[in-house]
Amino acid sequence: MQEKYYYSYDEFKKDTQVLVNKCREYEPDILLGVARGGLTLSHMMGQALDMRNVFTINSIHYEGEIKLDT
């Protein structure tokens, strides 16, 4: 079993700022956060980029531990 890694909030903020800096030149129209892992990131990026066009999407490919075909 793989040991879990504790990803601290400070590390998250630092990594998010790196990503925000890379996106500034691109000037995105929207941010799309993927549920089950990306919502906090899209929220933080939206704040940093002063964007209100932050949307979400959810995709489920597992039922319990069974991988679904579609």
Side-chain angles (χ1 to χ4, degrees):
M1 187 170 168
Q2 188 175 9
E3 188 175 325
K4 290 189 177 186
Y5 175 76
Y6 176 73
Y7 189 57
S8 71
Y9 182 69
D10 288 335
E11 189 175 2
F12 170 72
K13 285 193 322 185
K14 179 182 165 192
D15 290 344
T16 301
Q17 191 59 55
V18 169
L19 187 56
V20 164
N21 291 342
K22 289 181 179 186
C23 290
R24 282 193 196 280
E25 186 176 314
Y26 175 67
E27 298 179 7
D29 295 323
I30 68 164
L31 292 173
L32 180 63
V34 180
R36 306 284 303 170
L39 300 182
T40 304
L41 175 61
S42 60
H43 173 241
M44 293 288 284
M45 289 184 68
Q47 285 187 324
L49 293 168
D50 195 26
M51 289 183 66
R52 294 193 53 88
N53 291 332
V54 179
F55 300 96
T56 63
I57 188 170
N58 185 25
S59 179
I60 300 171
H61 296 282
Y62 288 87
E63 187 170 309
E65 293 187 17
I66 299 171
K67 186 173 182 180
L68 303 175
D69 292 334
T70 58

